[in-house]
Amino acid sequence: MRVLVLGSGGREHALVWAIARSPIVDEVLCAPGSDGIAADARVIGIDASDSRALIELVKREGVSLVVVGPEDLLAAGIADRLQAAGVAVFGPSAEAARLESSKHFAKAFMARHGIPTAAYAYFTSADEAESHVRALGGPCVVKADGLAAGKGVSVCAGPDAALRAIGEIMRERRFGVSGAEVVIEERLVGEEASFYALCDGERFVVLSHAQDHKRALDGDRGENTGGMGAYSPAAPIDARLEREIIETIVRPTVAGMCAEGRPFRGALFVGLMIAAGRPRVIEFNARFGDPETQALLFRLESDLVPLLVGAAEGRLPPDSPTVRFGDPAVCVVMASEGYPRSHLTGREITGLEALAGLPDAKVFHSGTRRVAGHWETVGGRVLGVTARGATLEAARARAYELAARIQFEGAHYRRDIGARAFQARRS
Ligand code: AMP
């Protein structure tokens, strides 16, 4: 079969890589893809939001499955339009993707279905939001309602910071129309983890979990980013907690979405806060995460493709098959100078060629291009250096050893990806 992946980042590179390993796949296409992704897929330079061009491509190339990477395509209804044309799509409808694209929808949904999460209030008026945080008087979290590339969230120590965040979101519209509405939440304290399940609207298959590193600098300091690295499996999640996450969060979410007439088909990625051994939802995402997917899928031993097809076609096996994962993996993101603020690009990257074809590591490309026979940077996040090892320590050491062999001017990366796992174990 032929599979088409939509998107162009590191997550899509990892999806392409995992799908291409399937014995039932003849060819993977990727649109719009990137020069880095072209090492593992046939890249088709069309706009992934142009559903007419996509449908034409699917028909012409005999594609039997489309896998959607980014959330903005889902929120804009790409899955609806492809499905209406008879194309099998892995990724939820716009209505089901509201679990991610509207924080208010997600919070109200969790309240309706008794899913554990932080207490919240919702505002369309900046004045009212400001009165609310003054009345709270303590820590809180301010979130723009809509999609903001993971950056519309401020964790605030007190009212002053919350007032600043409301001003940026609602008055200055730093995140555009996403800031017309805000959700203000109780601040949760604990260990974060990302939990993944593949859903077909009624049934689900549990994948595994990962821990992301959102802040720009070591020790979780600095600004929020799209993600500076990840490791999998996530240290805070053991078998008991996994069962609790499935029973109190994943199962009621899938059942609730189905009962409300918006069945969720695709990757359900639950962002969790774990405190005192109890999981609570920080946020839902309606697709795979970046860079968690690089670490997660690099561990995968089962064939991903029958599960993606089963989810897309509403026929996952009823008996919840176990998906096999191997050794731990770590993904270290190498970023451009200045990221996550405005950053410098067009810098030549050296050292990549020597890292191709390694059995225990893979460099996934997020923001690179090939120019006149060499690689150069084009994005804020540039590469995801991903390695496996018999232990998490070994995987980390290997990822850092390989990252040190890649050079570009101004490159920066965190030195502590995965280190929280050891701290969590010690405490
Ligand atoms: P989100 O985009 O919703 O994942 O939020 C980005 C980051 O903000 C999360 O990864 C958390 O670190 C933090 N965050 C979000 N909601 C909360 C909360 N209720 N309590 C504490 N931290 C939060």
Side-chain angles (χ1 to χ4, degrees), residues 251-267:
R251 195 180 301 285
T253 300
V254 174
M257 291 296 280
C258 190
E260 293 187 4
R262 40 175 84 92
F264 187 93
R265 289 184 174 173

Side-chain angles (χ1 to χ4, degrees), residues 174-198:
R174 194 166 151 200
F175 307 101
V177 289
S178 291
E181 303 166 28
V182 289
V183 165
I184 297 177
E185 288 184 11
E186 163 197 9
R187 188 179 74 178
L188 302 175
V189 178
E191 273 291 312
E192 287 185 48
S194 307
F195 192 89
Y196 284 85
L198 303 180

Side-chain angles (χ1 to χ4, degrees), residues 103 107 118-119 140-141 143 150-155 185-189 192 212 214-215 224 271 273 281-285:
K103 307 257 187 218
K107 297 299 284 189
C140 67
V141 181
K143 300 185 174 184
K151 292 169 199 146
V153 173
S154 296
V155 179
E185 288 184 11
E186 163 197 9
R187 188 179 74 178
L188 302 175
V189 178
E192 287 185 48
D212 187 11
K214 283 252 181 251
R215 299 298 190 105
N224 253 329
M273 186 72 86
V281 176
I282 294 180
E283 61 161 358
F284 285 118
N285 295 288

Side-chain angles (χ1 to χ4, degrees), residues 216-250:
L217 305 175
D218 285 9
D220 291 326
R221 290 173 304 112
E223 287 188 77
N224 253 329
T225 70
M228 293 299 290
Y231 71 93
S232 173
I237 300 184
D238 58 15
R240 183 202 63 78
L241 200 54
E242 176 162 335
R243 278 194 301 278
E244 185 170 339
I245 293 164
I246 293 168
E247 295 310 325
T248 66
I249 296 169
V250 177

Side-chain angles (χ1 to χ4, degrees), residues 334 347-358 362-363 365 370 373-376 383 385 401-409:
M334 299 183 75
R347 302 259 163 95
E348 182 172 348
I349 309 168
T350 58
L352 280 175
E353 279 75 10
L355 306 186
L358 297 174
K362 172 84 183 169
V363 180
H365 288 238
R370 196 92 181 130
H374 67 260
W375 289 101
E376 71 174 36
L383 298 164
V385 183
E401 175 200 336
L402 299 178
R405 295 199 215 159
I406 300 171
Q407 261 96 38
F408 54 91
E409 196 188 335

